[in-house]
Amino acid sequence: MANQTRATTTPTAKHRKLSDDHHSLLPGLPDHIAQLCLSLISPSALYSVCRSWRRLIYTVTFPPFRSLYTLSLPTNSAVDGGQMVKLFSFDPISSKWITVKSPLLPPYLRHLSLRHPSFMSRNFSIQSVSVSGNLVLIAATAVHQSLPVPAFPHPLIFNPLSNTWSSCPPLSTPRRWCAAGALQDTVVVASGIGSHYTETVARSVEKWVVRKSESFDEKIQSLTHLKLENESFDEKIQSLNHLKLKSESLDENPDGYCEKIQSLNHSKLKTESLDETPYGNCEKIQSLNNLKQKSESLDENPYGKWEKMQSLKQSKLCREAIDAVGWKGKLCMVNVKGDYAKEGFVYNLDSDEWAEMPVGMLGGWRGPTAAMDEETMYVVDESRGVLRRYNEDGDKWSEVVVDERLKGAEYIAAGGGRVCVVGEKGVGIVVVDVVVEPPRLWVVETPPGHDVLGLHILPRMCSPELKSPVALLESK
């Protein structure tokens, strides 16, 4: 009886194990078709239905939704550094903070300084920008022999989809207190201070175009396409040789095929001369080899290099860490933070020209500013707690919402129809839905036990232990 019981339960257990490994997303449909259908539904709706759909929205192949990211330090961190800067991700679907644990976190992030050792009110910023779905750390400050120096030997880039840190190409001079911003796929750094003040660095402007991995894939595909064309050329040569053999076997009427044989010999001589002459198809082959060498060197320098632009006429942007806001093909910035008298600058990336900021825009720039998809600019009046929207036609700011929790705003991020603001300590992150009318407002608690030093909206992270159903089937 025991053996009979074991024989009847074993297939059931085996079937249960197989069903736990993979569930069909939609009964009656292949998973790759089902995934296309489910990608049209809001992730928040999929999250609450079943476990397989919940796992699906965190896989690499599912379109990523947007999440909040904060650069943070422990609240009780020492003034002279020593604490590791941490990156946190807030998942809006599960409403949980996740500590980003990248396996290649640079060790020198432990030695950042936040306050000047000689001045109680002088704070040091960690400058970061969001570009092409990545987080780029541009500049920070460390203390060496009681003197503030640039903390990063080169900028760092974090990809949330792959959960990896990489080294960006180095700037001409590592710096701090610079103006930094992103426009489309380009990061721009202007002015700043290196280990010591120099007029050259204070007036310098550099840009870096962030290359996407898709562009490299397209190059590889073009290489494959050219290789196939080259192989088809070899097939033509073989067919010519095959026709020649046939023509040589025609003994009944050799005179009628002399012209064909001569043309075949002529084409053969052309093909044999490819190795002797560097022209013709050899140039294509050489270009293939060059492109192949470039593709093989992607791991050594996959992010290109910084390009020097036209220098500034003055060095007024090196006095403080400045956030440059990408807006309608331009970078907008002011020379000082806070509710003070300012000078405004607008940089046109295409023409590489600087201009003065419009009077109305400068007059309402009274706090941290961000642009929604580089189209609509928002500012928080940190002294009055007012969120405003910029109207280009009238060169004026219109009021969006007033709330006491917006007072003392320090950091701002905009994306996906939300404007997120980090205010005074203890308030949390104020989220304003600017799409609905009237605007809806709620608060997200900051990572427990940490102070926020930077705020960004980026694609959600993928769980490395999760594979999409399509990839799971392909691996099987």
Side-chain angles (χ1 to χ4, degrees), residues 63-82:
F65 53 87
R66 302 187 184 188
S67 299
L68 268 178
Y69 288 80
T70 64
L71 286 169
S72 306
L73 271 182
T75 305
N76 57 353
S77 60
V79 173
D80 58 349

Side-chain angles (χ1 to χ4, degrees), residues 33 37 69 88 137 280 300 379 394 421 450 471:
I33 300 297
C37 299
Y69 288 80
F88 288 90
L137 298 185
E300 299 177 359
V379 66
V421 180
H450 286 77

Side-chain angles (χ1 to χ4, degrees), residues 275-347:
D275 296 332
E276 300 176 358
T277 176
Y279 305 104
N281 287 326
C282 287
E283 293 181 355
K284 293 183 179 180
I285 295 173
Q286 290 177 359
S287 63
L288 283 172
N289 292 330
N290 292 335
L291 287 175
K292 182 180 179 181
Q293 291 175 359
K294 287 183 180 180
S295 63
E296 289 175 351
S297 63
L298 294 182
D299 296 334
E300 299 177 359
N301 188 14
Y303 295 112
K305 62 180 181 178
W306 292 87
E307 179 183 351
K308 291 186 178 181
M309 307 300 288
Q310 182 179 354
S311 298
L312 294 167
K313 296 181 179 179
Q314 52 188 350
S315 57
K316 293 184 178 180
L317 296 177
C318 68
R319 303 172 182 174
E320 197 168 352
I322 301 300
D323 296 326
V325 180
W327 173 75
K328 294 190 176 182
K330 301 179 180 65
L331 281 172
C332 307
M333 65 201 82
V334 293
N335 61 334
V336 293
K337 294 184 177 181
D339 191 6
Y340 306 105
K342 305 177 178 68
E343 292 185 53
F345 308 91
V346 177
Y347 177 65

Side-chain angles (χ1 to χ4, degrees), residues 233-234 237 240-241 244 261-282 285:
F233 180 76
D234 294 337
I237 295 175
L240 287 174
N241 292 330
K244 180 185 176 184
I261 294 173
Q262 290 176 358
S263 63
L264 288 171
N265 289 329
H266 183 66
S267 62
K268 180 183 178 183
L269 290 174
K270 284 186 177 180
T271 58
E272 290 176 349
S273 64
L274 290 177
D275 296 332
E276 300 176 358
T277 176
Y279 305 104
N281 287 326
C282 287
I285 295 173

Side-chain angles (χ1 to χ4, degrees), residues 5 20 50 60 75 106 114 161 199 215 218 233 249 338 371 409 441 462:
T5 304
D20 289 339
C50 61
V60 179
T75 305
L114 302 179
L161 297 180
E199 186 72 15
S215 61
E218 292 174 358
F233 180 76
S249 64
L441 186 147
C462 298

